[in-house]
Amino acid sequence: MFLQFLFISSAVLTVSCALGVLMVKNIMHSCVFLLGSLMGIAGLYATLGADFVAITQIMVYVGGVVILMLFAVMLTGGNDFVSRAQNLLGLPASMGNKWTYAIGLLVGVVFLLTNIQLIRGLTKALPVKTITNEFPSTVTQIGHLLVKDHVLAFEMSSVLLLGALVGAAIIARPRKQN
Amino acid sequence: MIPAQFDALMPIVIFMGLAILLFFGGHYLSVVLAPKKPSHLKSTPYECGELPVGSAWSMFNVRFYVVGLIFIIFDVESVLMFPVASIFRELNDMGQGGYALIIFLSFISVLIEGIAYCWKKGDLDWVKSFQHSHKKENK
Amino acid sequence: MNQTVVSYLSQYEFYDFLLALFRSNQGVLAFTLYLLLALIIVGMCATIGGLGTYAERKISADLQARIGPNRVGPYGLLQMLADGVKMMTKEDIMPFTADKKLFYLAPLLCLTGVFATLAVLPFSSGFIMADLNVGIFYLVAISSLVGLGVFLGGYASNSKWSMLGGMRGASQIISYEIPVTISILAIVLLAGGMGFGTIVGRQGGLPHEWFMFHNPFAFIAFFVYSVGALAETNRAPFDLPEAESELVSGYHTEYTGMRFGFFALAEYIEVFVVCGVAASLFLGGYNVPGIKLDILPMQAAQFVIFMTKTLVLYYVVIWIRWTLPRLRVDQLMSVCWKYLTPIAIFNLMGCAIWMVVFNGKSIAELVLGSH
């Protein structure tokens, strides 16, 4: 019962805040709705039992990316943060026009049909698993995998982070005044 | 009945709920108890006695953004190090300590190079030093 | 598996009695127990927050050779109630140019971030509300919500003091998260796990069994963690975002009455949590020196030991505030990125090398021989 409550509240939070990101005119409010959406996703990870991934989501996305976005918005400045662009129906421009919804509907239909075909093939072969009470922590599993099977990916991720750091530092440096 | 591994989520949700309850409860208490005499002068932002000119939402310096970027890189790095650090002792007891040490140290050393680069190029300075901009001009 | 308070209490007979009372509905019983204990913890921490204001004024008075509050109640002890009542009865003013929704939201974010960290604090070996396997990692992640609250509070007020205070506060909090996290990583290395039960269980009661004296790198890591955590809670000498002489009141300039009370409460409880974490990670936590029984009064003794260590650290935090001058903003940033982060990384590497070379033994174990 508690799991259902957690799942439903996380899912409602995620979807409603995602809609809020699109429908709000003020960009700062948009960022805060994004924060809510990412917290909802962390809740969804928690209902799946992926504790490490949920907390990584909070630490990196909520504690880092959202703050970075807020800083970036403050960097652009301006008197207020309200966007006045509108589409044909008078809604904010981020809600899209008729082509957005047409293509979205098409993609949705194709996606749905593909998924139905895939799932029909899978459900025949799945045995019914019960959740055992002795649930080992995901952290030690991830640790063992990172050190044994995916060592190269682990080391390459550090090189990737170095590249990101150098690139970001170069982009954010002030240009030489000629 | 809750599966055992989700037992621990309940106190977290309860504490968050208590925070929200406390917030709204305190807010309601102050609505009941506090006076409400709005005036134009009270609602202007405080600026030590002067009338404020212009909005506060102006463009900010790029150094806040650079600090945020460097923070994110190191944040992701420390998150990636957490699982390896958790099993380090176990691996050491199994006799694979040297192997784990090499992996761990090579991961960190790549990021040490990153912070050294930022330090040398002056991205970590809050105020760009006079020497630094002087050097750039002379080039 | 995650241990919780309820799974600990289920060992005792009165749990079965309660279970029969609730007609064998384990979920509802668990919820009620959690709610009761959460209310107790929140009440205790709110009291400590209030006592923190009183203690701050008394200790600062002591350091400045004056008396401090002594009118309201015996020795001025009821001063905190008077302060609370004052905050509730002040008018709630909002600047008319402010961003209303975010103005409302900012104290809530701070408060949620701090309260959610109370769920994993190890008060005693049975009384950890939720002994998550990722305990300390969860604590660091959730306390980054406070940084968001600071930024939004500063932004929403639309006052130049608040905006500057909010931006500086947010960048200070995110910068100091790095040395704090890396110091915690060194301890996770030594303990072999992230959960608080694992970390505190690996230490002992006597000082030579604490992680602080495990190896010289952990000793330095304790000081790096203390400095970093002081800066994360916006506490002097790192209180530039809320400095009185510089930015009027920084990010909470425009907040009045109960909203300001929430910011202050969140700050005092956060200091308590940070001291509790330092006590658990570095100073042996709730371990009672010498005795190792498993009876119920043992829990009370462990709780007392934990609170003693935490409150001693709290006293040191207050002491530091009234002794050292404030850092300038560029000094603040350079202390973090140019001093604390390289030292923390050096500590981490040193701890890892120590673990492999000496097979995870502490200095005391090497010198005295393990027993």
Side-chain angles (χ1 to χ4, degrees):
Chain A
M1 228 275 289
F2 170 69
L3 265 186
Q4 281 174 327
F5 165 74
L6 192 63
F7 172 74
I8 290 179
S9 57
S10 303
V12 164
L13 184 69
T14 309
V15 174
S16 59
C17 286
L19 280 176
V21 171
L22 291 176
M23 295 203 274
V24 172
K25 294 197 187 76
N26 189 333
I27 195 172
M28 284 299 222
H29 292 181
S30 226
C31 285
V32 175
F33 274 119
L34 183 67
L35 160 76
S37 190
L38 293 168
M39 286 287 282
I41 294 184
L44 287 175
Y45 283 139
T47 58
L48 287 171
D51 45 4
F52 182 71
V53 183
I55 298 173
T56 306
Q57 169 92 6
I58 295 181
M59 184 143 179
V60 173
Y61 271 110
V62 170
V65 170
V66 173
I67 289 190
L68 197 67
M69 279 189 197
L70 289 169
F71 277 178
V73 170
M74 292 310 299
L75 191 63
T76 58
N79 240 350
D80 57 6
F81 297 102
V82 176
S83 145
R84 296 212 166 73
Q86 285 181 348
N87 66 358
L88 288 172
L89 294 173
L91 295 170
S94 52
M95 287 298 281
N97 57 5
K98 57 182 192 282
W99 291 112
T100 317
Y101 289 105
I103 296 178
L105 194 63
L106 189 64
V107 168
V109 164
V110 168
F111 197 60
L112 192 65
L113 290 176
T114 326
N115 274 9
I116 290 177
Q117 291 291 52
L118 281 173
I119 294 175
R120 196 184 294 160
L122 280 177
T123 47
K124 287 192 192 127
L126 271 180
V128 175
K129 262 197 235 178
T130 52
I131 305 177
T132 57
N133 277 347
E134 299 304 316
F135 190 83
S137 161
T138 57
V139 185
T140 43
Q141 288 178 319
I142 294 178
H144 276 292
L145 280 176
L146 276 179
V147 172
K148 298 228 163 63
D149 293 340
H150 303 290
V151 178
L152 188 63
F154 183 60
E155 300 297 335
M156 282 299 118
S157 67
S158 75
V159 177
L160 181 70
L161 285 170
L162 176 68
L165 184 61
V166 171
I170 289 181
I171 289 179
R173 221 168 273 160
R175 304 265 182 275
K176 253 191 242 190
Q177 306 290 336
N178 284 332
Chain B
M1 203 192 109
I2 319 167
Q5 71 266 29
F6 299 111
D7 240 355
L9 289 174
M10 217 195 259
I12 297 174
V13 174
I14 288 180
F15 270 105
M16 287 190 185
L18 276 178
I20 297 178
L21 265 176
L22 182 70
F23 179 74
F24 284 114
H27 183 59
Y28 182 65
L29 255 177
S30 74
V31 161
V32 164
L33 290 175
K36 220 177 304 293
K37 298 188 181 62
S39 79
H40 180 80
L41 215 54
K42 264 200 277 194
S43 310
T44 51
Y46 179 67
E47 208 156 305
C48 300
E50 307 284 329
L51 287 175
V53 173
S55 163
W57 295 333
S58 57
M59 198 148 79
F60 267 86
N61 201 325
V62 74
R63 57 192 176 215
F64 291 104
Y65 188 66
V66 173
V67 163
L69 281 172
I70 301 180
F71 157 72
I72 274 229
I73 302 291
F74 277 90
D75 209 18
V76 175
E77 172 209 355
S78 54
V79 157
L80 276 173
M81 282 203 280
F82 263 107
V84 178
S86 305
I87 60 165
F88 198 84
R89 205 178 189 121
E90 207 180 304
L91 287 176
N92 200 13
D93 290 336
M94 285 202 294
Q96 300 177 341
Y99 169 68
L101 185 70
I102 293 176
I103 292 177
F104 202 63
L105 288 184
S106 51
F107 187 81
I108 299 180
S109 57
V110 173
L111 282 133
I112 292 179
E113 293 168 31
I115 199 176
Y117 172 80
C118 285
W119 192 334
K120 191 75 191 1
K121 287 291 184 175
D123 291 314
L124 297 176
D125 293 333
W126 195 246
V127 177
K128 295 263 186 286
S129 61
F130 177 68
Q131 273 175 329
H132 202 82
S133 48
H134 207 63
K135 246 191 268 178
K136 267 196 197 158
E137 273 171 34
N138 281 345
K139 280 215 182 97
Chain C
M1 198 178 101
N2 299 325
Q3 288 275 85
T4 61
V5 160
V6 170
S7 65
Y8 174 77
L9 284 176
S10 61
Q11 300 170 331
Y12 296 102
E13 302 91 34
F14 68 84
Y15 184 78
D16 296 323
F17 165 69
L18 284 172
L19 199 59
L21 206 63
F22 274 81
R23 269 166 263 136
S24 299
N25 193 344
Q26 242 178 325
V28 177
L29 171 63
F31 177 75
T32 324
L33 277 174
Y34 283 135
L35 191 63
L36 272 172
L37 289 168
L39 283 169
I40 293 176
I41 291 183
V42 167
M44 187 178 70
C45 286
T47 318
I48 288 182
L51 275 176
T53 56
Y54 167 73
E56 174 128 24
R57 292 168 75 165
K58 269 297 202 191
I59 295 173
S60 72
D62 201 24
L63 288 168
Q64 294 170 350
R66 52 187 175 89
I67 301 183
N70 63 348
R71 297 269 178 229
V72 190
Y75 293 105
L77 269 172
L78 296 181
Q79 181 74 36
M80 61 188 210
L81 285 177
D83 280 338
V85 168
K86 174 195 83 169
M87 263 187 228
M88 275 194 276
T89 56
K90 291 289 182 191
E91 186 180 343
D92 189 8
I93 305 175
M94 190 169 72
F96 64 95
T97 47
D99 192 337
K100 286 187 183 37
K101 297 197 184 79
L102 295 184
F103 198 80
Y104 282 137
L105 184 67
L108 178 62
L109 272 179
C110 278
L111 213 57
T112 312
V114 171
F115 271 38
T117 61
L118 291 174
V120 291
L121 266 190
F123 292 103
S124 82
S125 63
F127 190 31
I128 311 180
M129 286 291 286
D131 185 13
L132 294 177
N133 280 323
V134 289
I136 186 66
F137 188 32
Y138 161 80
L139 202 138
V140 173
I142 281 284
S143 42
S144 56
L145 274 178
V146 175
L148 263 167
V150 165
F151 178 82
L152 287 176
Y155 161 78
S157 309
N158 198 7
S159 148
K160 296 173 188 57
W161 304 122
S162 309
M163 193 68 239
L164 272 174
M167 291 284 282
R168 286 183 186 171
S171 60
Q172 175 184 326
I173 290 182
I174 63 175
S175 303
Y176 279 89
E177 239 176 76
I178 298 300
V180 161
T181 312
I182 299 184
S183 300
I184 291 177
L185 262 173
I187 293 297
V188 168
L189 258 180
L190 294 178
M194 290 196 243
F196 271 109
T198 319
I199 296 179
V200 185
R202 181 66 74 167
Q203 301 176 69
L206 298 165
H208 69 262
E209 295 166 355
W210 293 348
F211 272 153
M212 187 169 144
F213 301 112
H214 189 276
N215 56 31
F217 302 106
F219 186 71
I220 305 177
F222 171 63
F223 292 106
V224 172
Y225 174 79
S226 322
V227 172
L230 259 185
E232 267 214 68
T233 55
N234 284 340
R235 223 28 222 188
F238 301 104
D239 62 349
L240 199 65
E242 53 182 48
E244 289 105 32
S245 47
E246 291 237 3
L247 291 173
V248 183
S249 203
Y251 62 92
H252 45 70
T253 313
E254 302 293 339
Y255 282 88
T256 57
M258 206 59 214
R259 292 190 215 286
F260 172 73
F262 288 137
F263 271 122
L265 184 71
E267 176 174 326
Y268 280 107
I269 297 183
E270 200 187 347
V271 175
F272 175 76
V273 165
V274 155
C275 293
V277 167
S280 315
L281 292 187
F282 293 95
L283 298 182
Y286 52 70
N287 286 312
V288 179
I291 324 170
K292 261 195 198 309
L293 301 169
D294 203 11
I295 49 179
L296 203 57
M298 192 65 180
Q299 301 290 320
Q302 288 178 336
F303 182 74
V304 165
I305 294 266
F306 174 78
M307 293 302 281
T308 315
K309 290 179 186 169
T310 307
L311 291 175
V312 164
L313 284 175
Y314 204 108
Y315 176 81
V316 172
V317 167
I318 296 181
W319 186 4
I320 291 178
R321 176 181 180 170
W322 294 102
T323 315
L324 296 176
R326 189 174 294 128
L327 257 65
R328 230 171 40 219
V329 65
D330 59 318
Q331 289 170 335
L332 215 114
M333 287 298 165
S334 73
V335 160
C336 172
W337 289 108
K338 296 192 182 171
Y339 291 92
L340 285 185
T341 309
I343 295 179
I345 296 181
F346 167 72
N347 279 341
L348 183 62
M349 297 203 297
C351 273
I353 296 176
W354 182 284
M355 282 279 293
V356 173
V357 167
F358 291 112
N359 215 10
K361 296 207 187 96
S362 65
I363 287 186
E365 277 176 22
L366 286 174
V367 166
L368 303 172
S370 53
H371 38 263

